[in-house]
Amino acid sequence: ATRTKPVDVERADSGIGQMPARKWRNRASETLSSLQAWEAHRPCTDCGERDLPVETDVQNCNQRRADLCEKCHKRRTERKESVLEFVNTEASYGEDLRIIKEEFYLPMQVAGLLSQEQLQGIFSNIQELIDLNENFLEILQEEIDQAFDQGDNDLMTVCIGEIFLEFVNMLPAFQTYCLQQSSSVNMLNALEKEKELLRIFLNVSQNDNTALRRMNLRSFLMAPLQRVTKYPLLLSRIIKATTEYHPDHGSLREAKSRIESHLEHINMKTKQEGNTWTLRSFRQDSKKKREVINIEMRETALKTVGWLREETRFVMEGALQLAQPPDGQWVKKGSKTLKFQNMQVLLLVNMKRVSESSLESAEPGPVKDAVLVLIRDKNNGKFHLLREPLRLSNCIVSTDPDCDDTFELIEIRREAFVFRDSDRARTHHWFRQIRRYSRELGSWKKRRNALPNIMISTPHTRP
């Protein structure tokens, strides 16, 4: 008997009729559209809002976090930048502390420039601050590295507030240093006048040691004061970019409150000990002080020239170095042979007032007069003029390629002045502005030809 083997029969259709299949495909398409619509308007995981825009570009959709709205995505970016700024500035502060110890404290100790008591008086508890910074920075860096290792590229798992509260014991160390700062600076000033070797060491270090960035010891000794007053600002930035549902939000606020309370306590102790400075004034009043000084200088300049305020433009103002060469041959010897003094300089322009908005326009109107007002640094609380204002209509402004860090202003039949700024680009800017207004006044060519011994050479003059 022949056995019949079972045969597998492959169906060519779906097993359902044509009409049900069409309905199923339509239903599937509708379901897919519904899922896509929900996906496009799903709630943000940070704020719960449903304002996520529909992304038509696949690449843009991949670049943006799919579960965040634009507002929260921006907030996370700002929080990440604020956290990294906190850690990076803590590392920079630690580097300044290391420089204080390795470039100043230890060399002075080894060379025997100061006794141990004198070193303690100047550098206070710097070693304690170094140890606290190293431990604090190590924990911060570990948290950052762990977040990146776990795929948390937004650093949402990094809790700066909690870490700061764990190291709140560093605040008394800051207090000790801050309260001794005034006596430390006074001791350093006295010893520098008394000990010539110390003075030579500090000058050579500032000029030749590249690690110091041309900064002196006093600047580095201010680093702990600058750091402790910056903590509230850094914490505020992180708080602003952290949603209230974040687990670190409460700790951040508590940390900010603790540091502000401690700063107030340091200020109170400072007043009790008879010191005139406070941490708040050190942190906030420097900008206000500069604004007051600028206002005072402008008032002095206006009173000197006697112009109407509404017709006066302050084109430039700031510190310049000024020298008065005895002859016109100083260029051959170089500007190093000149003796410069610090001066506050204001460039004032008196404009012909055509309309109410003419002084507000980008392009200045016709120039009636332009002067340079030279003011000495404050003495006994008052500004003093070096001389009467220099009227640019009577001056020639020139430069020489052999001394491109300076420019010369010659007043016809009277005096010559050489100016420079600590920044060469700023010197060039001053030169261009003064030369511009000088040429707009009077007959510049006649004035130029009237001075045979000045160093003007047209091919060499700056463009």
Side-chain angles (χ1 to χ4, degrees), residues 185-202:
V185 172
N186 292 335
M187 179 179 289
L188 177 61
N189 293 337
L191 290 173
E192 192 173 1
K193 293 179 180 179
E194 177 186 341
K195 296 179 178 291
E196 184 178 0
L197 289 179
L198 175 63
R199 185 167 61 253
I200 294 174
F201 167 76
L202 294 177

Side-chain angles (χ1 to χ4, degrees), residues 221-232:
L221 290 177
M222 297 298 289
L225 280 73
Q226 293 171 335
R227 186 59 187 170
V228 72
T229 54
K230 197 172 183 180
Y231 279 135

Side-chain angles (χ1 to χ4, degrees), residues 8-76:
D8 295 331
V9 178
E10 184 178 355
R11 298 183 64 93
D13 59 358
S14 61
I16 58 177
Q18 214 172 22
M19 289 298 293
R22 188 178 299 113
K23 292 181 180 180
W24 180 84
R25 284 195 296 269
N26 291 338
R27 188 176 297 129
S29 178
E30 293 173 0
T31 303
L32 181 60
S33 299
S34 299
L35 289 174
Q36 290 176 345
W38 181 88
E39 182 70 16
H41 299 282
R42 68 195 179 284
C44 171
T45 56
D46 280 7
C47 65
E49 297 293 334
R50 294 179 178 269
D51 60 348
L52 277 73
V54 179
E55 291 284 358
T56 56
D57 189 344
V58 177
Q59 184 177 1
N60 291 339
C61 185
N62 292 335
Q63 289 177 352
R64 187 176 59 81
R65 293 296 296 269
D67 53 352
L68 294 175
C69 65
E70 289 292 340
K71 182 179 178 180
C72 291
H73 175 67
K74 181 179 179 181
R75 179 186 294 171
R76 284 198 178 192

Side-chain angles (χ1 to χ4, degrees), residues 337-348:
T337 60
L338 298 177
K339 184 178 181 180
F340 286 89
Q341 58 178 321
N342 294 324
M343 195 70 53
Q344 296 292 333
V345 181
L346 294 90
L347 173 57
L348 281 70

